[in-house]
Amino acid sequence: MGHPTLLRRAEPVADPCAPDIQALVRDMHDTMEAEGGIGIAAPQIGVSRRVIMFHVPEIRDGEDGEMDECAGPLRVLVNPVLTSLSEDQEVDWEGCLSVPGLRGAVPRYVSVRYTGQTPEGETVDICADGFHARVVQHEFDHLEGVLYPQRMTDMRSLVFTAAQDTQEESEL
Ligand code: NI
């Protein structure tokens, strides 16, 4: 947090299949895995290009019988475009690899549509809701130079992870 690359709008990618983008995707993946994150954007590794990746959450039965959303398959998006599908928002906890040691309660659109290209040159067009929609909005914000504390409406819920032992750790 505070690095200039994280604060500015990232540059579009001319060719999603170019070798430098393939290398960027590998670097992002290595960093995300090493840091134990479930999502990452290129500006978080100091590269101001419009590339994000995240694990697509899957709904699963939790041990308590409730439905939990867990990290599923990896999705990589070049030049993503994001639109909300309704005005409805919900507040939930987020962490970020670029804001270490902290978590915050962030309002996000419940339902979004995102499009973009894969590094293989395929077009993606997906509607997402819940945690899936939250993850996409968080990563897309990184391309606009926005970190989650800027989206928060109640700064009393910006807390040290160590002070909040009931929340699961999923960095974005
Ligand atoms: Ni983040």
Side-chain angles (χ1 to χ4, degrees):
M1 183 160 59
H3 192 286
T5 304
L6 286 172
L7 300 174
R8 72 172 199 249
R9 192 166 195 274
E11 298 292 329
V13 173
D15 177 6
C17 305
D20 62 328
I21 298 303
Q22 311 294 323
L24 171 61
V25 166
R26 282 194 297 275
D27 285 351
M28 289 169 62
H29 190 252
D30 288 348
T31 302
M32 186 178 73
E33 297 278 295
E35 301 291 330
I38 62 165
I40 196 167
Q44 293 185 273
I45 62 165
V47 178
S48 191
R49 308 298 294 278
R50 301 185 78 77
V51 182
I52 61 176
M53 70 173 61
F54 51 89
H55 289 281
V56 181
E58 292 174 337
I59 307 279
R60 292 180 193 161
D61 269 320
E63 287 177 8
D64 52 6
E66 296 193 3
M67 301 302 277
D68 293 335
E69 287 180 288
C70 305
L74 184 71
R75 191 175 298 286
V76 184
L77 280 179
V78 181
N79 298 330
V81 174
L82 182 66
T83 51
S84 58
L85 293 176
S86 83
E87 292 298 305
D88 295 341
Q89 294 194 330
E90 63 188 3
V91 176
D92 208 345
W93 293 96
E94 295 183 16
C96 179
L97 297 173
S98 301
V99 191
L102 292 168
R103 298 184 70 75
V106 186
R108 298 287 187 187
Y109 290 110
V110 173
S111 177
V112 299
R113 176 184 178 187
Y114 61 94
T115 59
Q117 288 171 291
T118 70
E120 294 78 38
E122 293 163 0
T123 299
V124 167
D125 186 345
I126 289 173
C127 294
D129 52 21
F131 189 60
H132 185 174
R134 174 170 298 275
V135 171
V136 179
Q137 288 169 86
H138 179 113
E139 300 309 339
F140 184 83
D141 265 356
H142 278 299
L143 305 183
E144 299 296 301
V146 174
L147 298 174
Y148 77 78
Q150 292 167 253
R151 296 288 189 196
M152 292 176 61
T153 50
D154 182 356
M155 295 307 286
R156 290 178 301 177
S157 66
L158 185 64
V159 300
F160 288 111
T161 309
Q164 195 198 34
D165 53 15
T166 57
Q167 296 297 321
E168 85 274 16
E169 314 270 322
S170 50
E171 308 280 306
L172 300 167

